[in-house]
Amino acid sequence: MASQSLSSAIVYGSDPLARGLGRLRVSPAAAGLFFLLAGVLYTLILPYLWGLPFQINGDDLIYGFLILVVYPVSGYFYARQPRSILAAYESMKRYLRDEDQARVFHLDSIERIHARPIIWVIGLLFGLLGAGFGAVYSLQHYGEFWYSVNGFEIFLVQGARLLAFYCIGVCAARHIAASRALNKLFEHADLPLTLDADRLEIFRKIKNFALEFVGVSAVIALNLGLQPLFVEPPALEYAIYVALYFIVAPLSFFLPIWEAHRRMTRVKNEMLDRLHYDFQEESQRLRRKFGEASASYVEEAGNLERLERSIAAVSKALEWPFEGTTVYRLVVTVTSPFLFILFEIFINIVSNLFVSN
């Protein structure tokens, strides 16, 4: 497949919103700016005009962070993610075996994966879930807060919430679809052994693709991590979002690289098996030489030494397409939105210990 045949339209699939933004050539910055300006309008300007302005308190600060930070980040990443996916596909092509490129890396197979309506249906369901919870809460507190001051304000706030949550849901579904396609391609990749995964373009691109999604997820989840510090969130809604985050975020990192890990392990074990077999054969020949009145066993011993060094070198080769420090970065990134809560819990435990004594 020619590289020019890859385009963002393939990743958009049947997503109606993405296809519309693509036709309008909306950039990621413009998508993020739309949510930011819309948030300023219905968070700061309209409530002020209606006499129930935004307050600097816990509840409003959480809503403000959600609307003025999380929503723009979601919109930006929704428009930018296709570029990252295409970059991962492009970096994969050079590692496919020549006889497999035309057969495996085919436009139609990738296009079919991304064209499935389930991708944007997941986004729609997630958007309806978020807007539904928000609308019910606003109607229960109709006229009490700026976001529920009247029906028009509720419509604007929950409409933006539906759109932002739609973007989040589609990004997660896209990531899964791209991971599935990448794993299929890794099955046919001719991967070399390496001691430094970052020096191979394909591993660097795939790792960055996965970490990028985890990083955006952590920014979005920061809203969840801050909520208990300022407000008492609805228990059911909060539990659903936290559970989804801790399931999706770690899986989103390992999913695109799982088949690469399996193939790297297979290649490494095949080479080690062959080297160990050769080592055993050489050791047998060396043993027979010792039984002969000859000094040629020195050459055989040299072969054993070279094979031993080869086995040691291959044994050090990586079985995952990333360095060990990447796992620590992943753990820190995933847990970082909830560090404030954990710190507060720690302080409370220590305080109770001193008070009890």
Side-chain angles (χ1 to χ4, degrees):
M1 179 177 60
S3 60
Q4 61 266 25
S5 60
L6 278 170
S7 67
S8 297
I10 294 174
V11 182
Y12 296 158
S14 59
D15 179 4
L17 178 61
R19 295 174 69 175
L21 294 179
R23 284 193 292 268
L24 295 174
R25 300 184 181 277
V26 175
S27 67
L33 186 61
F34 165 80
F35 277 104
L36 180 62
L37 294 179
V40 170
L41 174 65
Y42 64 76
T43 302
L44 302 176
I45 299 176
L46 290 181
Y48 177 80
L49 296 177
W50 284 323
L52 198 61
F54 182 92
Q55 301 294 322
I56 307 299
N57 56 39
D59 189 66
D60 280 4
L61 286 176
I62 288 297
Y63 269 99
F65 181 83
L66 180 69
I67 292 170
L68 300 177
V69 177
V70 172
Y71 289 3
V73 168
S74 303
Y76 174 86
F77 186 64
Y78 175 80
R80 186 187 184 284
Q81 188 188 32
R83 301 181 185 179
S84 299
I85 293 174
L86 291 177
Y89 287 155
E90 286 284 4
S91 65
M92 170 64 78
K93 288 174 60 178
R94 60 179 295 188
Y95 292 98
L96 288 175
R97 294 188 294 267
D98 293 338
E99 65 271 18
D100 286 331
Q101 274 208 31
R103 178 172 60 84
V104 177
F105 200 82
H106 196 272
L107 177 62
D108 291 343
S109 62
I110 295 177
E111 194 168 13
R112 279 195 300 271
I113 290 175
H114 286 284
R116 293 180 177 176
I118 188 63
I119 294 176
W120 65 266
V121 169
I122 288 174
L124 180 60
L125 292 175
F126 192 63
L128 291 173
L129 177 69
F133 278 127
V136 169
Y137 186 81
S138 295
L139 291 174
Q140 290 174 345
H141 299 275
Y142 188 83
E144 296 181 28
F145 309 109
W146 63 265
Y147 51 82
S148 61
V149 63
N150 55 46
F152 183 69
E153 178 71 6
I154 293 175
F155 175 79
L156 285 180
V157 172
Q158 301 311 321
R161 186 181 178 93
L162 187 152
L163 190 59
F165 278 46
Y166 174 89
C167 292
I168 295 171
V170 169
C171 285
R174 266 190 205 152
H175 186 86
I176 294 172
S179 299
R180 181 166 174 255
L182 287 169
N183 280 318
K184 284 182 174 293
L185 296 174
F186 270 124
E187 292 177 1
H188 303 274
D190 189 13
L191 299 177
L193 293 180
T194 181
L195 299 176
D196 186 354
D198 287 337
R199 292 189 179 277
L200 285 180
E201 180 191 8
I202 177 59
F203 292 159
R204 188 171 62 252
K205 292 283 188 181
I206 300 298
K207 183 191 73 173
N208 291 340
F209 162 71
L211 284 176
E212 182 182 57
F213 183 85
V214 175
V216 172
S217 299
V219 172
I220 294 172
L222 184 58
N223 175 68
L224 296 174
L226 294 175
Q227 282 187 34
L229 301 178
F230 296 98
V231 298
E232 186 176 347
L236 177 61
E237 181 182 3
Y238 188 78
I240 290 174
Y241 292 149
V242 171
L244 284 174
Y245 170 72
F246 277 106
I247 292 172
V248 172
L251 284 179
S252 65
F253 175 78
F254 289 101
L255 190 59
I257 61 176
W258 178 248
E259 187 58 39
H261 158 65
R262 293 182 60 190
R263 184 149 186 83
M264 291 171 71
T265 302
R266 190 182 309 123
V267 170
K268 178 178 177 179
N269 288 337
E270 287 174 355
M271 292 186 67
L272 284 174
D273 288 344
R274 180 56 189 269
L275 286 170
H276 279 290
Y277 176 81
D278 291 344
F279 186 90
Q280 292 165 6
E281 290 293 307
E282 288 296 328
S283 67
Q284 286 285 71
R285 280 194 286 271
L286 179 60
R287 186 179 64 83
R288 288 193 292 269
K289 293 292 184 181
F290 280 136
E292 301 174 3
S294 171
S296 62
Y297 64 83
V298 175
E299 181 180 350
E300 304 293 339
N303 291 337
L304 277 181
E305 186 178 357
R306 286 190 290 272
L307 284 169
E308 185 179 13
R309 288 198 299 267
S310 298
I311 291 172
V314 173
S315 298
K316 294 178 182 178
L318 298 178
E319 295 182 3
W320 287 93
F322 55 80
E323 304 297 326
T325 55
T326 303
V327 176
Y328 300 113
R329 289 172 55 192
L330 174 66
V331 172
V332 170
T333 302
V334 171
T335 58
S336 60
F338 297 90
L339 290 180
F340 295 105
I341 298 177
L342 296 175
F343 182 72
E344 184 183 46
I345 293 174
F346 173 76
I347 293 297
N348 290 337
I349 292 174
V350 173
S351 299
N352 291 335
L353 288 175
F354 280 105
V355 169
S356 61
N357 291 332

